[in-house]
Amino acid sequence: MTRKRKWPRPPTDDRKLVFALILLTLLLGARVFLAENPQHNPWAPLDLRDERGWATQTKLSGLRGDSQGCRAVLDRSEIAFSALPATGEGQCRRDDRLTLDAVPFAPRFPEMTCPVATGLVLWLEKDVQALAQDILGSSVERVEQLGTYSCRRMYGDADAAWSEHATGNAIDIAGFRLTDGRTVTVLEDWDNGRDEDRFLTAVRDAACDSFGTVLSPDYNAAHADHFHLDQGRSPAMGACR
Ligand SMILES: [Zn+2]
């Protein structure tokens, strides 16, 4: 009869040491990885020039309602902006107002909150231009927008909640002009089954990574001619369609 040979088990203290060494190696590895990839590091300050990472969206949403922290992100990312003085009253009081001095692929945008500005820069730089190249084989040279600030309730309805536009915390995008002369608009090209439609759907989906709420023609008829992008903090918001 053969007996299975049993390897002697290391003493308990040795096993604890091996476990501690493995843990230490993993922690050091994670630390090096996060230092080299700040976009994945939830504790690293947000820089809009970094690639998108696991922590980007969380860091972006953390800026909502934090105009000081948000402006520090623009400074760090070397995005030039002009701060505007607080103005307005009641539901249309705007403490966080700025204009971006040089937005890529767009003329000067009107005033907006800092979280809208950060979302816009990230969306235009990381998503819109790349998707235009991939799907349309051209570049966006101009973004057509319908406005940011408007002191009103949603849909202009006297009984509705106040719109994020009332504080300039939203922007409406109507379309894009390309360097090859084409113009892609939400009104004309949405759901037309062509490449322009694929591009619009892709940039709408991508906007959900940069904004708290994204509404397109899929949401309702009031958005048949534009994308509504906002950085509202209401838990009822957060729609992406
Ligand atoms: Zn809107």
Side-chain angles (χ1 to χ4, degrees):
M1 189 173 118
T2 53
R3 288 179 59 190
K4 271 194 182 165
R5 185 171 180 179
K6 277 194 177 167
W7 293 102
R9 303 187 75 181
T12 312
D13 282 354
D14 285 2
R15 273 186 283 154
K16 277 187 185 162
L17 186 66
V18 169
F19 179 74
L21 281 173
I22 290 172
L23 193 65
L24 191 67
T25 310
L26 287 176
L27 284 174
L28 283 174
R31 205 182 146 138
V32 169
F33 175 80
L34 289 179
E36 286 173 357
N37 298 276
Q39 71 274 24
H40 298 318
N41 182 353
W43 298 282
L46 178 61
D47 188 323
L48 301 178
R49 292 167 298 184
D50 290 341
E51 289 303 307
R52 273 190 197 281
W54 303 326
T56 309
Q57 202 169 0
T58 309
K59 286 191 258 190
L60 258 189
S61 33
L63 300 178
R64 291 175 205 153
D66 174 14
S67 61
Q68 241 183 332
C70 181
R71 287 175 188 197
V73 169
L74 291 181
D75 282 336
R76 187 180 308 119
S77 311
E78 297 184 352
I79 305 290
F81 67 93
S82 302
L84 303 173
T87 188
E89 286 179 7
Q91 300 287 346
C92 297
R93 170 81 183 167
R94 283 118 66 214
D95 292 311
D96 179 13
R97 301 170 68 215
L98 58 79
T99 54
L100 290 164
D101 294 348
V103 179
F105 336 122
R108 198 176 172 87
F109 278 104
E111 70 165 86
M112 59 185 87
T113 61
C114 181
V116 169
T118 50
L120 195 60
V121 168
L122 205 63
W123 180 58
L124 293 176
E125 288 199 344
K126 306 284 184 213
D127 305 317
V128 172
Q129 195 67 300
L131 289 165
Q133 282 293 342
D134 284 355
I135 299 172
L136 301 171
S138 186
S139 301
V140 170
E141 69 171 13
R142 187 185 163 102
V143 178
E144 306 292 354
Q145 54 83 30
L146 301 176
T148 51
Y149 165 68
S150 171
C151 183
R152 61 173 171 79
R153 290 173 185 267
M154 289 200 290
Y155 309 114
D157 180 340
D159 296 324
W162 283 89
S163 164
E164 291 295 327
H165 285 289
T167 49
N169 200 28
I171 185 165
D172 291 337
I173 304 286
F176 306 88
R177 199 167 73 195
L178 308 180
T179 48
D180 66 7
R182 271 183 289 174
T183 299
V184 182
T185 68
V186 178
L187 183 64
E188 298 288 333
D189 297 299
W190 187 262
D191 225 4
N192 70 6
R194 298 208 299 256
D195 283 348
E196 288 82 357
D197 169 30
R198 282 208 304 128
F199 167 72
L200 287 173
T201 305
V203 295
R204 186 275 312 268
D205 291 348
C208 302
D209 294 333
S210 294
F211 290 89
T213 298
V214 174
L215 308 178
S216 72
D218 279 351
Y219 185 72
N220 64 14
H223 297 87
D225 65 351
H226 69 277
F227 297 152
H228 166 98
L229 316 175
D230 80 53
Q231 299 288 37
R233 302 180 74 200
S234 154
M237 303 303 278
C240 171
R241 66 191 173 98

